[in-house]
Structure formats: structure tokens, C-alpha cells
Amino acid sequence: MSTVGDLIWSITIKVAVVLATIAAADYVFQKIQFEKMMRMSREDMRQEVKQQDGDPLIKQRIRQKQREFAKKRMMHDVPKADVVITNPPHFAVALKYDAKTMSAPKVVAKGQDEVAQQIKRISQESSVPMVENVPLARALYQEVKIGKDVPPKLFRAVAEVLAFVYRMHGRRDL
């Protein structure tokens, strides 16, 4: 009986060691398989980036709507301008200046080609004076953003234009 007990005990220990070895090997194999399965394909990565950043087509549409809204707002400000400085076929820049509230004239609208033609049309309809000054129109268009003040290096030229316009219309704001 003791020999049979020792034999069973010996077999049980050997079987336990073999099963533990198989379990360890299976654990390693399953972990490697799981990691391979969890890896993303290139298409999955593209889709995830698209979801995080947003669909490029939708982003493009949003930017287009924002540009349209800014253009409408800019065109709405043209009738309030004091003068529109033009380079006849290409550029138009609308300026506003109120000596009581502003430290410098402000660009309220600017445009090139088609937008410039719209600015000129709106200014004519609103009786906003237009002055042709090619170098000043180009400089203002290239250097000043909409809603920003005229830079100091262009003060003199802008002041001369505004003084000319104010003299023509009998204003003494400058």
C-alpha cells in the first residue's frame, strides 16, 4: 500500500510539473497572440487619425463657411468707411478713422480682383469716396490685416489721403 501511495504521489507531482510547464507555455503563446490581434492595421490607424482630427472634407467646408461669413461681415463694414483706396484693376482697401476713438486709421475691408470690385461697387452705392493710389493700396493690402490699425510707416500717406477726402467733403476730423 505504501509503495502504491508513493507511486501515485510521484506520478501526481510529475503530472503537475508537466501541466505547469504547458500552462506557462500556453500563457506566453496566448499573450503573443493577443498582442498581435490588438495591433492596428494601417487602415485602422488612418481611420483613428481621421476621427481624432476630423474629416478633412468637413474641415474644409467649415473653413469655407468661415471665409464666407468674414467676407459678408467685411462687405457690411464698407459703407461705414471714410475712404476706399484703390489700385483700379486689382486692389481695394477701405479705411475708417475717428479721431476721438481711434489712435490710427483702421482697415475695415480689403480685397483683390473680384472682391476689390465688390468693395468698389458697395462704396459707390454708399457714396464712400474712392481715391486711386496704387502704391498705397498695394502696401495696405499686403501689410495690414482686416480690423487692424495702419502701421506707422504708412501714416503719412494715409493721412494725406484722408485729409484730401475730408477737404472734399468739408469734414475737419483729421
Side-chain angles (χ1 to χ4, degrees), residues 2 6 12 14 33 36 40 42 48 53 56-58 64 75 82 85 96 109 114 121 130 140 148 165 169:
S2 120
D6 287 339
T12 304
K14 289 179 184 175
Q33 287 295 99
K36 279 184 183 178
M40 295 174 71
R42 288 183 188 256
E48 185 174 344
D53 294 345
L57 295 174
I58 293 173
Q64 180 183 6
M75 292 302 174
D82 291 327
I85 301 172
K96 175 139 184 77
E114 186 179 315
R121 181 182 50 78
M130 282 192 288
L140 287 169
K148 299 295 180 186
V165 169
H169 294 322

Side-chain angles (χ1 to χ4, degrees), residues 4-162:
V4 173
D6 287 339
L7 186 62
I8 291 175
W9 184 250
S10 163
I11 291 173
T12 304
I13 290 176
K14 289 179 184 175
V15 169
V17 169
V18 169
L19 288 176
T21 306
I22 292 172
D26 185 51
Y27 174 78
V28 171
F29 177 76
Q30 291 296 330
K31 185 171 177 151
I32 292 170
Q33 287 295 99
F34 178 74
E35 287 175 359
K36 279 184 183 178
M37 186 178 72
M38 293 308 292
R39 286 188 194 143
M40 295 174 71
S41 68
R42 288 183 188 256
E43 183 61 31
D44 292 338
M45 285 191 275
R46 277 192 216 116
Q47 289 298 326
E48 185 174 344
V49 168
K50 197 176 199 180
Q51 283 179 338
Q52 286 176 347
D53 294 345
D55 188 359
L57 295 174
I58 293 173
K59 287 170 62 176
Q60 178 183 5
R61 184 93 166 113
I62 289 170
R63 283 192 299 268
Q64 180 183 6
K65 288 289 184 186
Q66 288 171 337
R67 282 191 301 269
E68 288 173 10
F69 181 71
K71 183 179 172 186
K72 285 179 185 177
R73 187 177 61 232
M74 177 181 71
M75 292 302 174
H76 182 70
D77 290 341
V78 171
K80 300 171 190 168
D82 291 327
V83 65
V84 174
I85 301 172
T86 65
N87 169 0
H90 301 293
F91 300 105
V93 180
L95 300 174
K96 175 139 184 77
Y97 181 63
D98 182 5
K100 295 173 185 143
T101 60
M102 297 177 176
S103 60
K106 185 178 287 189
V107 173
V108 293
K110 71 177 186 175
Q112 185 176 3
D113 297 328
E114 186 179 315
V115 176
Q117 298 304 323
Q118 286 180 325
I119 290 171
K120 289 191 280 188
R121 181 182 50 78
I122 292 170
S123 69
Q124 284 176 341
E125 291 170 359
S126 305
S127 300
V128 174
M130 282 192 288
V131 175
E132 182 178 326
N133 187 329
V134 175
L136 182 57
R138 284 179 183 260
L140 287 169
Y141 181 82
Q142 291 172 353
E143 294 183 26
V144 186
K145 292 183 179 181
I146 297 169
K148 299 295 180 186
D149 292 343
V150 172
K153 67 181 182 180
L154 297 175
F155 277 177
R156 183 176 187 85
V158 170
E160 288 173 1
V161 169
L162 286 172

